[in-house]
Amino acid sequence: MTASAEKFTAQTLLDVQPLTPSLFSLRTTRDAGFRFRAGQFARLGVTRADGSTVWRAYSMVSSPFDEFLEFFSIVVPRGEFTSELSRLQAGDTLLVERQAFGYLTLDRFVDGRDLWLLSTGTGVAPFLSILQDFEVWERFERIILVYSVREARELAYQSLIAGLAQRDYLAEHAHKLQFIPTVTREHFPGALHGRITSLIESGELERVAGVELTAEHSRVMLCGNPQMIDDTRALLKQRHMNLSLTRRPGQVAVENYW
C-alpha cells in the first residue's frame, strides 16, 4: 500500500526487545493526535534502503492512555516487512498512519457476562491493550484470556499479564481475570496442551476455566491464525454463537492477524 505524507507521522523507536529468536516487541513515541480504541490496529511503515516504503497492520499492545505505542511482531523468514522491521534499533524512524482501524473492540458487544479472549501467537496483542483499559473490567464479571503458542518460550508478556493485579486502578477487579496458557508442541507445567479448538471440543477449556461457553452469557473475541479463527467460529456456531455485526449484535468478534 502507499500513503501520502498527510496520512502518517514519523515516530521514533524508543526500544526494541527480542523475546525469542523469532519474536520481538517494539515501542515508539506517539503522536499527540493519534487516537485509538483498545483492540484496534495501526498501519506501520518502514522505509527501505532504496527509499521505498513497505506497510503492514499491527495491533497496539499499549493502552489507549499510554504516551507511547507498543507492538508485538514475529520475524517471517524472507518476509518483505518483518525483515525490514526487525533490523530497526532504538532511535530509528517508524511511520504510523494517523488513523487507527479495526473492530475487535468492546463496542461489538451490547451485553454479556463472561468475556473470552482467544488468541494464538502475536494475536494476543490487542487483548493486552484491552486488558489495560478499565472499561473491560467494569463491563464483565469474568475475563478468560487464552493464549496459545507452539513452544512455551513463545509465551510473551508474562510479566505484564501477571502485573495487572498490582495496578492500583485494577486492584478491586483483578479477581475477574483468569489466564490460561496453552502450548501445542510440548508439555509445559502450568499450561494446557493442545490447540484451542481441540480444547473446546473436549470440554477441557471450559473445565479449567470453570465457566461454560454459552450464547446467553459468553462473549468471545478471536485473534491470530486464520485457521484457528475459522475453526473456532464453526465450533461456536454449533452453540448458536454468531459474529456480532452492527445490524445484528452477536456473541463473537474477530480479527484476522495476517
Side-chain angles (χ1 to χ4, degrees):
M1 63 169 286
T2 60
S4 64
E6 296 78 28
K7 291 185 177 181
F8 65 82
T9 61
Q11 300 303 312
T12 302
L13 269 175
L14 301 172
D15 187 39
V16 180
Q17 287 290 335
L19 304 175
T20 73
S22 61
L23 293 171
F24 64 98
S25 67
L26 59 157
R27 184 174 291 192
T28 76
T29 54
R30 176 177 175 176
D31 185 80
F34 184 75
R35 299 285 182 268
F36 69 94
R37 285 185 58 79
Q40 288 190 307
F41 62 85
R43 291 192 173 105
L44 307 182
V46 178
T47 302
R48 293 182 287 202
D50 63 4
S52 63
T53 303
V54 286
W55 296 86
R56 289 292 184 275
Y58 276 80
S59 295
M60 271 69 74
V61 171
S62 45
S63 90
F65 308 103
D66 285 328
E67 295 181 353
F68 56 85
L69 296 175
E70 185 162 338
F71 305 95
F72 181 29
S73 182
I74 187 170
V75 179
V76 179
R78 297 178 297 280
E80 180 184 36
F81 184 82
T82 61
S83 59
E84 295 289 339
L85 188 66
S86 61
R87 68 172 173 77
L88 297 181
Q89 301 177 354
D92 288 340
T93 297
L94 188 68
L95 305 180
V96 181
E97 276 208 353
R98 294 182 184 274
Q99 182 179 348
F101 302 89
Y103 299 101
L104 196 69
T105 54
L106 292 181
D107 54 9
R108 302 305 292 172
F109 304 127
V110 297
D111 57 6
R113 185 191 69 191
D114 308 320
L115 180 65
W116 294 76
L117 306 173
L118 307 184
S119 62
T120 59
T122 54
V124 75
F127 299 153
L128 298 174
S129 182
I130 287 171
L131 288 171
Q132 294 179 84
D133 189 1
F134 190 65
E135 180 184 359
V136 71
W137 302 88
E138 284 189 307
R139 282 192 55 182
F140 293 92
E141 293 182 20
R142 284 177 273 198
I143 305 164
I144 304 99
L145 172 63
V146 181
Y147 183 9
S148 178
V149 296
R150 294 168 300 179
E151 301 175 355
R153 66 176 181 171
E154 297 172 342
L155 287 167
Y157 288 101
Q158 296 301 287
S159 59
L160 188 157
I161 295 168
L164 290 169
Q166 275 68 58
R167 300 192 182 194
D168 291 342
Y169 66 100
L170 298 182
E172 64 178 293
H173 299 282
H175 65 280
K176 295 181 177 183
L177 178 64
Q178 184 168 10
F179 174 48
I180 303 177
T182 174
V183 181
T184 61
R185 294 188 180 177
E186 61 183 351
H187 290 274
F188 184 72
L192 297 183
H193 178 65
R195 298 179 183 276
I196 288 174
T197 47
S198 299
L199 295 169
I200 292 175
E201 287 180 299
S202 69
E204 179 73 358
L205 189 61
E206 292 162 280
R207 187 191 66 77
V208 170
V211 184
E212 289 187 25
L213 266 168
T214 67
E216 180 183 4
H217 295 302
S218 304
R219 300 297 173 262
V220 184
M221 289 183 157
L222 307 173
C223 188
N225 184 296
Q227 192 64 57
M228 180 278 287
I229 290 175
D230 290 346
D231 293 346
T232 305
R233 280 187 61 187
L235 289 174
L236 295 176
K237 193 168 185 178
Q238 294 173 13
R239 303 187 184 206
H240 309 290
M241 301 175 71
N242 299 303
L243 194 64
S244 187
L245 305 172
T246 303
R247 65 181 182 275
R248 189 196 67 206
Q251 300 81 23
V252 182
V254 169
E255 193 76 86
N256 285 305
Y257 210 67
W258 58 79

